[in-house]
Amino acid sequence: MTNKTEDKKITLVIGGTGKTGKRVADQLIQKGHEVRIGSRTAIPAFDWDRESGWDAALEGVSSIYITYSPDLAMPGATDAISALVSRARLRGAKRLVLLSGRGEKEAQACEEIVQDSGLEWTIVRASWFNQNFSEGAFIDMVLGGAITLPAGGTPEPFVDVDDIAEVAAAALIEDGHNGEVYEVTGPRLMTMSDIAAELSAATGREITFVDVPHDAFIDELTKSGAPTDVIWMLDYLFATVLDGRNAHLTDGVERALGRTPKDFADYARDVAATGAWRVAA
């Protein structure tokens, strides 16, 4: 008799309440797939800092979407990914999809762990998210009318989280994505000044970009009471990754989905229509 748990082919979505994870989970559910949300508040809970609880979250799971918070560049990430991969293999998982970051040697070390797992794998290596300006660290700057960051004029091919999620969902449930590294970007390179101009056009009010020294930016973040891991991540990203190493476009979305990625201007118009950036008079 076939095992009913195996028949269900459960997908564990680690970070299933986050920017990409929630979207991946929603897409899979809409397609009729059984999803288990991997988060501290889920039942069973998944907490990167409590390995003793992982077995319960992995029970009956055939595929896993792996996101590591706040970033794979964080110290300890390789150990955590290695432990998860080993435990997932022992529990009978068949397929892994890892969300990774462009231009981060630490993230690429985590990719290698997944690639050497002996399981089916796909890497989704993403550039900076459009949604950082509407759901993440920079939304308050947009609301305040000034994007104050130590970014200079370095261009970045910002990618839409909906595109990332669609690529990840396809890799989790479709054949043909095994062994692929999908490096996903938006369709054009944009500086923070370009971002500010698009946000101004979408919101109908002036939003400027103010370039600030890196150390001053980190000092202000610290004084604001921002979480330590968020400060570390932004310090790392602006000091290390935003140096021009990622200032080129890739075809990951086209290869995975057969279409062009969403442009930032379209993202901005869509968000503006929801009222997320509306400022009280």
Side-chain angles (χ1 to χ4, degrees):
M1 181 178 289
T2 304
N3 185 288
K4 289 184 181 297
T5 301
E6 289 179 354
D7 279 347
K8 290 181 180 178
K9 294 186 176 179
I10 301 167
T11 298
L12 174 64
V13 179
I14 297 176
T17 59
K19 288 188 194 72
T20 67
K22 184 179 186 307
R23 289 168 166 86
V24 169
D26 287 347
Q27 288 192 30
L28 296 183
I29 291 168
Q30 288 168 10
K31 294 176 185 293
H33 293 266
E34 182 163 354
V35 171
R36 180 174 297 153
I37 301 299
S39 73
R40 293 187 182 96
T41 58
I43 300 174
F46 182 92
D47 186 336
W48 279 111
D49 296 323
R50 297 190 65 183
E51 189 176 340
S52 60
W54 293 359
D55 280 345
L58 289 166
E59 178 68 29
V61 164
S62 63
S63 57
I64 309 172
Y65 178 58
I66 306 172
T67 64
Y68 186 82
S69 180
D71 196 273
L72 288 176
M74 287 286 288
T78 52
D79 290 340
I81 296 298
S82 182
L84 176 70
V85 167
S86 296
R87 198 170 288 260
R89 186 173 55 243
L90 289 172
R91 299 297 297 181
K94 305 298 183 187
R95 180 175 295 185
L96 308 175
V97 176
L98 175 70
L99 177 65
S100 185
R102 296 180 79 215
E104 301 177 14
K105 64 178 182 179
E106 300 89 349
Q108 270 81 78
C110 293
E111 293 178 12
E112 291 174 4
I113 293 168
V114 171
Q115 291 166 332
D116 294 338
S117 66
L119 305 176
E120 294 181 12
W121 60 265
T122 306
I123 306 298
V124 183
R125 187 187 293 160
S127 55
W128 288 30
F129 301 170
N130 292 348
Q131 279 73 9
N132 287 338
F133 297 95
S134 54
E135 301 172 27
F138 308 146
I139 184 171
D140 288 340
M141 296 181 186
V142 178
L143 294 172
I147 300 171
T148 306
L149 295 171
T154 305
E156 170 75 12
F158 289 85
V159 66
D160 197 272
V161 168
D162 289 337
D163 286 346
I164 297 172
E166 190 172 341
V167 171
L172 286 163
I173 62 176
E174 296 176 0
D175 294 328
H177 302 286
N178 182 40
E180 293 285 353
V181 177
Y182 292 125
E183 191 161 332
V184 294
T185 70
R188 57 175 165 145
L189 291 169
M190 301 182 71
T191 65
M192 287 294 177
S193 293
D194 296 329
I195 294 288
E198 292 290 2
L199 292 172
S200 297
T203 60
R205 57 188 178 84
E206 185 178 9
I207 297 171
T208 61
F209 166 56
V210 180
D211 190 25
V212 295
H214 180 86
D215 290 345
F217 171 69
I218 297 302
D219 286 345
E220 284 301 314
L221 270 182
T222 304
K223 290 175 185 176
S224 74
T228 302
D229 57 353
V230 172
I231 295 171
W232 187 96
M233 180 184 68
L234 291 174
D235 187 7
Y236 171 81
L237 290 175
F238 282 106
T240 306
V241 178
L242 196 68
D243 63 355
R245 70 182 67 184
N246 293 329
H248 59 277
L249 305 180
T250 60
D251 63 353
V253 173
E254 290 95 332
R255 287 199 297 117
L257 304 177
R259 63 167 177 79
T260 57
K262 187 173 186 175
D263 188 73
F264 189 92
D266 296 321
Y267 148 79
R269 281 192 294 270
D270 289 347
V271 174
T274 70
W277 291 322
R278 190 172 296 130
V279 177

